[in-house]
């Protein structure tokens, strides 16, 4: 008689089928079926035969339709169909299945294994389970005569089976550990994207197989202030952005794209293109598209905070290296793209192709960061003032506050080098508060000494404008010191608001409500989109010194300066020209009806005591022209 089959409902039936599928999956995952005999298993069957004193021992596995032995000791029992095998019945039990005398057991008395050449009368099989607990087969003892199997021996066999079970799992565990390790080694565990290591390997393979005339372009693309985003919005949002960017980048390149991401918010990409491609307009288009992946707003949904957040403050830096021009080793190309990218951080430019000189600059990048933090914490920063003169009256009308840092080891460090680092590291918030408070205290002092009415212009960056705590700080400081807010201007560059003009305007208006005014600094160097000027609530444009320096030699600069001044007038804005160094430049600017001028011609930035003297001397710009 075959195995007893009980009638089952269709629901039970499908649950059984489901469990059987999982069981088989687990069995196949061990990758042991139909493999050759192995000593590590035979050792157990030999030992069991001697311990339990039986003629036959099997390590038997139950496949979908058959029973198969991985190892046997003693009388050879052929592999059998599942429905006649003892083991097929055994795996329905929890721990152990014992048939003391098969001839006396209705279920097996007419079984061919019992009636045929094998003459099995005694069977005891302890269940072998898979790593997830599904029964896979047995460690079974057989004999050709009936036996009593004492409970003590049953326990012993179950323990024996546990040892065999461990042996069976070894391959599986090794394989999975290897896979886990590989995953940890080659993928970012939060985004599942390839990491730098895997990217390097793939790039190296591609470089090896590159066709002679092809270029391989490596892009290093960074989400600026990624650690801030993680801190402020949480890991879920930060990695939501990474995933969204990954999606956008893949859309940008509709070719085979190799892309990787690391924990610092940095993406690496490479593409293989025909020789000379990097000099074509199409390449420029790719760069524009890459940068534009940052500009569209990010709607990021974090599971715990549905319906999601909208982030518009993202900006990125891009560095590029090109093989063969910059090398033919993967590490070298990645390093160079990354150096170029970091040099963006320092200069604030949005994309750079690798050049040798960047490396030195980056070498001290991290050093500067920690020194700056120390300087801020220990009050080692200082402030300098550069007068701003009225072109019409010829008198001083304002002053720009500029940050100064004299490092005890490296001497004076230019704000051009440390402000972007302060910005990137978040130190700008403290630095900005220091500058604004100092400027307030000094203005109060000058006013007490009877200075002419002048405004103080303080430089700020996007991080400050978009921060409520900064706006509050400005308001409270002005109130505490009882200063007239209209004596203050905040200078901000176009790059600080260009990718989110509407939001910037909202924040500006909140500050303007207090009475403080805004200046667009370095006008003409950034996006110079005149269209937004109409809606921007600024009172003044400051023309960048690069235009002024060529004013008298370069017709184009002269024309541009003239146009900017006339346009500003039409829009009702004041214009300041900065970087005025010569009398000729001043004459040009006066002729163009520029409102105010600032530059070395009148004064370099001065420390506070010297600036106080400058104020007291009541300078007039005609002095400069007539000298
Ligand atoms: P900026 O705001 O455009 O400041 C004008 C820069 O031009 C100053 O450089 C000034 O010393 C320089 N300058 C003024 N007149 C002349 C001239 O006639 N010829 C030449 N060649 N240069 C002139 P500085 O002090 O090195 O500052 C560089 C930049 O660093 C500033 O440019 C500003 O963007 C940033 N910065 C300085 N202090 C601060 C600060 O407290 N906060 C922020 N956010 N940025 C600051
Ligand atoms: Mg400025
Ligand atoms: Mg400027």
């Amino acid at each position: 008689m075959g195995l007893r089959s009980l009638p089952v409902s269709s629901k039970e039936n499908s649950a059984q089928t489901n469990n059987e599928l999982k069981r088989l999956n687990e069995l196949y995952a061990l990758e042991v079926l139909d493999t050759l005999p192995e000593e590590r298993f035979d050792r157990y069957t030999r030992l069991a035969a001697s311990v339990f004193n039986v003629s036959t021992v099997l390590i038997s596995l139950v496949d979908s339709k058959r029973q198969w032995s991985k190892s046997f000791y003693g009388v050879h029992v052929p592999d059998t169909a599942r429905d006649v095998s003892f083991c097929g019945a055994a795996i329905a039990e929890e721990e152990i299945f014992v048939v003391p005398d098969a001839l006396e057991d209705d279920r097996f008395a007419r079984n061919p294994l019992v009636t045929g050449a094998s003459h099995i009368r005694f069977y005891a099989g302890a269940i072998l389970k898979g790593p997830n607990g599904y029964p896979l087969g047995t460690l079974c003892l057989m004999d050709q005569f009936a036996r009593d199997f004492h409970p003590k021996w049953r326990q012993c066999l179950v323990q024996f089976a546990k040892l065999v079970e461990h042996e069976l799992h070894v391959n599986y565990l090794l394989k999975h550990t290897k896979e886990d390790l590989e995953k940890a080694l080659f993928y970012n565990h939060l985004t599942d994207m390839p990491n730098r290591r895997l990217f390097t390997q793939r790039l190296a393979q591609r470089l090896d197989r590159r066709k002679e005339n092809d270029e391989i372009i490596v892009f290093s693309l960074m989400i600026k202030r990624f650690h801030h985003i993680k801190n402020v919005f949480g890991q879920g949002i930060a990695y939501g952005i990474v995933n969204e960017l990954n999606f956008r980048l893949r859309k940008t390149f509709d070719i085979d794209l190799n892309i990787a991401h690391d924990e610092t918010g940095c993406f690496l990409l490479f593409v293989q293109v025909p020789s000379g491609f990097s000099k074509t307009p199409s390449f420029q288009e790719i760069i524009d598209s890459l940068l534009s992946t940052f500009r569209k707003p990010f709607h990021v949904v974090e599971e715990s905070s549905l319906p999601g957040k909208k982030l518009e403050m993202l900006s990125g830096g891009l560095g590029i290296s090109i093989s063969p021009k910059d090398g033919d080793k993967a590490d070298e190309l990645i390093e160079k793209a990354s150096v170029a990218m970091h040099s963006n951080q320092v200069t604030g430019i949005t994309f750079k192709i690798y050049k040798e000189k960047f490396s030195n600059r980056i070498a001290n990048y991290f050093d500067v960061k920690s020194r700056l933090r120390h300087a801020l914490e220990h009050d080692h920063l200082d402030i300098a003032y550069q007068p701003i003169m009225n072109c019409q009256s010829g008198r001083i009308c304002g002053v720009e506050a500029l940050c100064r840092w004299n490092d005890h080891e490296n001497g004076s460090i230019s704000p051009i080098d440390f402000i972007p680092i302060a910005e990137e590291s978040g130190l700008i918030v403290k630095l900005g508060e220091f500058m604004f408070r100092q400027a307030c205290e000094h203005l109060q002092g000058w006013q007490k000494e009877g200075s002419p009415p002048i405004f103080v212009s303080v430089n700020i960056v996007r991080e400050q404008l978009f921060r409520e705590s900064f706006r509050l700080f400005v308001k409270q400081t002005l109130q505490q010191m009882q200063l007239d807010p209209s004596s203050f201007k905040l200078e901000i560059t176009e790059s600080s608001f260009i990718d989110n003009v509407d939001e910037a305007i909202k924040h500006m208006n909140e500050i303007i409500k207090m009475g403080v005014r805004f200046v667009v600094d370095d006008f003409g160097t950034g996006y110079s989109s005149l269209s937004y000027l109409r809606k921007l609530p600024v009172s003044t444009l400051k023309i960048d010194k690069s235009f002024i320096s060529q004013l008298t030699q370069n017709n184009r600069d002269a024309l541009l300066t003239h146009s900017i001044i006339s346009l500003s007038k039409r829009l009702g804005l004041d214009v300041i020209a900065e970087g005025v160094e010569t009398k000729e430049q001043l004459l040009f600017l006066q002729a163009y009806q520029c409102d105010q001028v600032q530059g070395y011609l009148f004064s370099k930035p001065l420390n506070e005591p010297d600036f106080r003297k400058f104020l007291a001397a009541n300078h007039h710009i005609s002095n400069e022209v007539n000298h």
Side-chain angles (χ1 to χ4, degrees):
M1 198 175 91
L3 290 180
R4 198 162 30 128
S5 56
L6 298 169
V8 286
S9 72
S10 67
K11 212 168 170 186
E12 280 171 336
N13 221 342
S14 77
Q16 270 179 11
T17 319
N18 206 4
N19 271 346
E20 172 64 3
L21 282 178
K22 288 184 184 160
R23 190 189 78 75
L24 288 173
N25 276 340
E26 179 132 80
L27 174 62
Y28 300 151
L30 296 184
E31 294 181 355
V32 68
L33 274 183
D34 299 317
T35 54
L36 292 172
E38 289 175 73
E39 171 57 21
R40 63 190 179 107
F41 291 107
D42 295 345
R43 187 184 302 145
Y44 286 107
T45 45
R46 249 189 344 258
L47 189 64
S50 129
V51 169
F52 295 100
N53 192 22
V54 289
S55 61
T56 305
V57 181
L58 301 183
I59 292 175
S60 156
L61 297 169
V62 180
D63 196 356
S64 61
K65 296 213 160 57
R66 61 175 178 151
Q67 170 274 329
W68 176 85
S69 304
K70 171 66 189 169
S71 170
F72 77 91
Y73 175 84
V75 181
H76 179 67
V77 181
D79 296 344
T80 48
R82 175 177 177 171
D83 54 1
V84 298
S85 76
F86 283 84
C87 300
I91 60 166
E93 302 297 322
E94 190 46 44
E95 267 196 330
I96 189 164
F97 181 61
V98 180
V99 181
D101 185 352
L103 283 177
E104 296 294 314
D105 190 321
D106 279 353
R107 293 172 301 180
F108 296 101
R110 268 165 279 164
N111 187 302
L113 291 172
V114 179
T115 56
S118 305
H119 291 302
I120 294 172
R121 295 236 355 228
F122 165 75
Y123 174 94
I127 315 303
L128 299 170
K129 291 184 178 169
N132 298 315
Y134 288 97
L136 307 180
T138 64
L139 168 68
C140 63
L141 316 175
M142 287 183 256
D143 234 330
Q144 291 176 327
F145 48 86
R147 291 177 67 140
D148 271 342
F149 203 52
H150 194 274
K152 196 175 79 186
W153 289 114
R154 293 180 185 223
Q155 270 321 303
C156 189
L157 182 62
V158 168
Q159 292 313 315
F160 230 105
K162 292 266 176 276
L163 297 175
V164 176
E165 213 172 76
H166 280 300
E167 201 62 53
L168 272 174
H169 296 180
V170 163
N171 280 349
Y172 173 89
L173 293 177
L174 272 178
K175 189 167 160 255
H176 275 258
T177 314
K178 203 166 145 241
E179 275 172 15
D180 286 351
L181 269 176
E182 264 175 19
K183 203 159 179 222
L185 268 178
F186 293 118
Y187 291 85
N188 181 306
H189 71 286
L190 289 167
T191 56
D192 274 346
M193 284 170 64
N195 65 13
R196 177 179 286 248
R197 186 178 271 116
L198 184 56
F199 180 84
T200 311
Q201 278 189 8
R202 288 182 176 167
L203 177 58
Q205 282 165 3
R206 187 61 69 89
L207 285 163
D208 281 348
R209 281 184 279 132
R210 173 165 57 122
K211 283 190 234 129
E212 209 180 303
N213 284 331
D214 278 0
E215 283 179 337
I216 290 183
I217 304 178
V218 178
F219 302 90
S220 181
L221 195 60
M222 140 149 321
I223 303 175
K224 286 195 181 167
R225 292 183 281 268
F226 187 66
H227 64 284
H228 269 315
I229 296 176
K230 263 205 286 200
N231 289 347
V232 176
F233 295 97
Q235 194 129 288
I237 293 282
Y239 286 101
I241 290 175
V242 169
N243 284 329
E244 168 67 18
L245 259 178
N246 182 22
F247 175 73
R248 290 184 190 176
L249 291 172
R250 285 184 187 282
K251 256 177 49 185
T252 304
F253 290 89
D254 58 353
I255 49 172
D256 172 27
L257 179 67
N258 283 282
I259 185 164
H261 165 258
D262 69 21
E263 249 113 61
T264 61
C266 177
F267 285 87
L268 288 165
L269 293 79
F270 74 79
V271 286
Q272 185 165 350
V273 289
S275 171
F277 180 82
S278 57
K279 296 199 179 71
T280 64
S282 312
F283 181 58
Q284 189 55 48
E285 275 170 27
I286 287 185
I287 287 169
D288 290 344
S289 319
L290 276 179
L291 292 171
S292 75
T293 54
F294 284 86
R295 297 211 182 103
K296 280 172 270 159
F298 284 78
H299 295 268
V300 191
V301 178
E302 196 183 29
E303 268 166 34
S304 57
S305 68
L306 290 168
K309 293 191 169 126
K310 188 175 170 194
L311 281 189
E312 298 198 66
M313 293 174 57
L314 222 56
S315 61
L318 174 62
I320 295 167
S321 64
I322 302 166
S323 177
K325 177 175 80 65
D326 298 322
D328 55 7
K329 297 270 173 301
D331 281 332
E332 186 185 7
L333 288 163
I334 294 171
E335 179 68 24
K336 287 180 173 173
S338 148
V339 164
M341 178 190 74
H342 277 294
S343 84
N344 289 338
Q345 300 258 108
V346 179
T347 60
I349 296 167
T350 42
F351 109 81
K352 270 264 158 64
I353 295 190
Y354 175 77
K355 290 199 189 91
E356 284 299 330
K357 67 174 167 61
F358 295 150
S359 341
N360 300 339
R361 204 164 189 177
I362 295 314
N364 78 8
Y365 176 85
F366 295 103
D367 183 41
V368 172
K369 197 147 120 179
S370 66
R371 282 172 186 281
L372 181 59
R373 176 169 285 121
H374 185 269
L376 255 172
E377 282 163 4
H378 295 84
D379 264 352
H380 292 165
L381 293 185
D382 212 341
I383 192 164
Y385 292 101
Q386 186 174 35
I388 298 172
M389 315 299 281
N390 185 310
C391 261
Q392 308 309 320
S393 70
R395 305 253 168 234
I396 182 168
C397 58
V399 64
E400 177 172 11
L402 294 158
C403 189
R404 290 294 175 260
W405 175 22
N406 203 357
D407 181 57
H408 61 279
E409 254 180 50
N410 298 317
S412 159
I413 301 179
S414 164
I416 292 176
D417 289 328
F418 71 79
I419 292 291
I421 295 175
E423 213 180 329
E424 187 274 331
S425 59
L427 293 171
I428 196 73
V429 175
K430 281 238 153 335
L431 187 149
E433 289 180 0
F434 160 79
M435 289 293 292
F436 194 77
R437 192 183 300 110
Q438 281 278 293
C440 286
E441 280 171 12
H442 287 149
L443 179 68
Q444 208 174 38
W446 304 330
Q447 285 177 349
K448 277 191 190 139
E449 285 177 14
S451 94
I454 57 168
F455 64 82
V456 179
S457 221
V458 178
N459 293 284
I460 64 161
V461 297
R462 166 197 196 111
E463 182 76 15
Q464 294 163 285
L465 177 66
F466 280 70
R467 226 170 226 267
E468 197 186 344
S469 63
F470 176 74
R471 302 194 291 268
L472 215 65
F473 173 83
V474 169
K475 190 173 183 177
Q476 281 169 355
T477 313
L478 290 173
Q479 277 170 355
Q480 276 164 12
M481 298 198 157
Q482 298 181 335
L483 285 164
D484 179 0
S486 69
S487 308
F488 287 88
K489 293 189 182 186
L490 296 176
E491 295 192 10
I492 188 152
T493 58
E494 290 164 277
S495 60
S496 286
F497 52 73
I498 196 70
D499 52 356
N500 197 350
V501 177
D502 292 338
E503 194 72 9
I505 291 178
K506 216 174 80 194
H507 297 316
M508 282 176 166
N509 278 331
E510 282 172 43
I511 295 182
I512 288 166
K513 263 192 256 156
M514 302 174 205
V516 176
R517 287 167 292 168
F518 276 93
V519 179
V520 178
D521 201 356
D522 302 344
F523 187 78
T525 54
Y527 302 82
S528 304
S529 158
L530 298 178
S531 60
Y532 68 69
L533 272 184
R534 259 181 303 131
K535 52 178 186 170
L536 212 61
V538 297
S539 70
T540 313
L541 280 194
K542 196 183 253 197
I543 306 175
D544 189 67
K545 51 183 174 296
S546 59
F547 290 92
I548 310 304
S549 65
Q550 297 299 313
L551 197 58
T552 51
Q553 288 105 10
N554 184 326
N555 276 343
R556 204 169 151 260
D557 282 357
L559 193 67
L560 272 171
T561 306
H562 194 187
S563 316
I564 295 173
I565 295 174
S566 346
L567 177 94
S568 308
K569 301 255 147 228
R570 257 183 274 145
L571 292 171
L573 303 175
D574 281 348
V575 190
I576 305 181
E578 72 178 346
V580 182
E581 291 183 357
T582 66
K583 290 171 200 165
E584 291 75 24
Q585 289 164 354
L586 175 63
L587 288 172
F588 261 70
L589 290 161
Q590 284 176 323
Y592 294 159
Q593 305 209 314
C594 182
D595 300 299
Q596 293 154 17
V597 279
Q598 174 185 357
Y600 295 168
L601 179 63
F602 319 104
S603 169
K604 289 204 165 182
L606 303 167
N607 62 30
E608 198 273 332
D610 286 347
F611 177 70
R612 208 156 0 122
K613 284 182 208 149
F614 183 96
L615 260 185
N618 199 9
H619 274 266
H620 193 280
I621 58 176
S622 60
N623 301 344
E624 278 79 21
V625 181
N626 297 333
H627 273 174

